[in-house]
Amino acid sequence: MIQPDRSDSTFIRGTAIFAAVVTACVYLLGLLLVGLTVSQVGEGADSTPMHQCRYTPNRPQDAQVLGHEVRLIPLNIMCRTTDGRLFNSQVVPAWLNPALAASFAATVVLMAGAVVQAHRRDTARWQAEDERNRESVPPNQ
């Protein structure tokens, strides 16, 4: 009887879990950065609108900042000007959203691989069990 190999399935499943943990940690890091920045708005003199919106190098020329919007996917804080334009406050590092997307994609691919591997292992086990049951039944004569 052929036993299916479990080492491939365990490795893929473990790697998928690791990728999911990395995805969660990267997203939580971004949420922490956004949360700390937003929590400082309105706390003390000269705190509204956000400093990150007023003093960012990519602020449009001659634009007055009115407020901000928090976006969760992709994770960032967008600053709104009085004329309705939006620009990025650059609170979230530029590498964070691409890293988040890559780790999420890796998680999805590895989870799909783990499901396929588990299905193959179960199919092989069912076939081996079926073969063993056929050998134990005596032939009719």
Side-chain angles (χ1 to χ4, degrees):
M1 174 169 73
I2 299 172
Q3 288 292 330
D5 186 20
R6 290 179 176 239
S7 63
D8 289 342
S9 177
T10 303
F11 176 74
I12 292 172
R13 190 174 33 225
T15 307
I17 291 169
F18 177 74
V21 168
V22 167
T23 302
C25 288
V26 169
Y27 192 70
L28 287 175
L29 173 66
L31 282 178
L32 180 68
L33 291 170
V34 168
L36 287 174
T37 302
V38 171
S39 71
Q40 295 173 359
V41 175
E43 298 290 325
D46 195 36
S47 62
T48 303
M50 288 177 30
H51 288 281
Q52 291 82 355
C53 287
R54 286 185 286 164
Y55 302 118
T56 186
N58 64 341
R59 189 178 96 192
Q61 203 85 3
D62 300 328
Q64 288 185 325
V65 177
L66 181 64
H68 65 276
E69 294 178 11
V70 175
R71 296 199 177 160
L72 299 177
I73 298 176
L75 194 57
N76 60 23
I77 298 176
M78 300 300 289
C79 303
R80 181 176 297 284
T81 62
T82 53
D83 60 356
R85 290 183 287 176
L86 291 173
F87 63 94
N88 194 340
S89 66
Q90 297 180 338
V91 170
V92 176
W95 59 266
L96 195 132
N97 283 315
L100 187 60
S103 65
F104 181 74
T107 300
V108 169
V109 168
L110 289 166
M111 287 290 193
V115 167
V116 168
Q117 193 68 19
H119 177 71
R120 287 180 181 170
R121 184 182 66 237
D122 289 344
T123 302
R125 186 177 64 219
W126 292 332
Q127 287 175 347
E129 187 176 306
D130 188 41
E131 185 178 312
R132 191 173 59 239
N133 288 339
R134 277 194 222 140
E135 290 175 357
S136 64
V137 175
N140 292 336
Q141 292 184 1

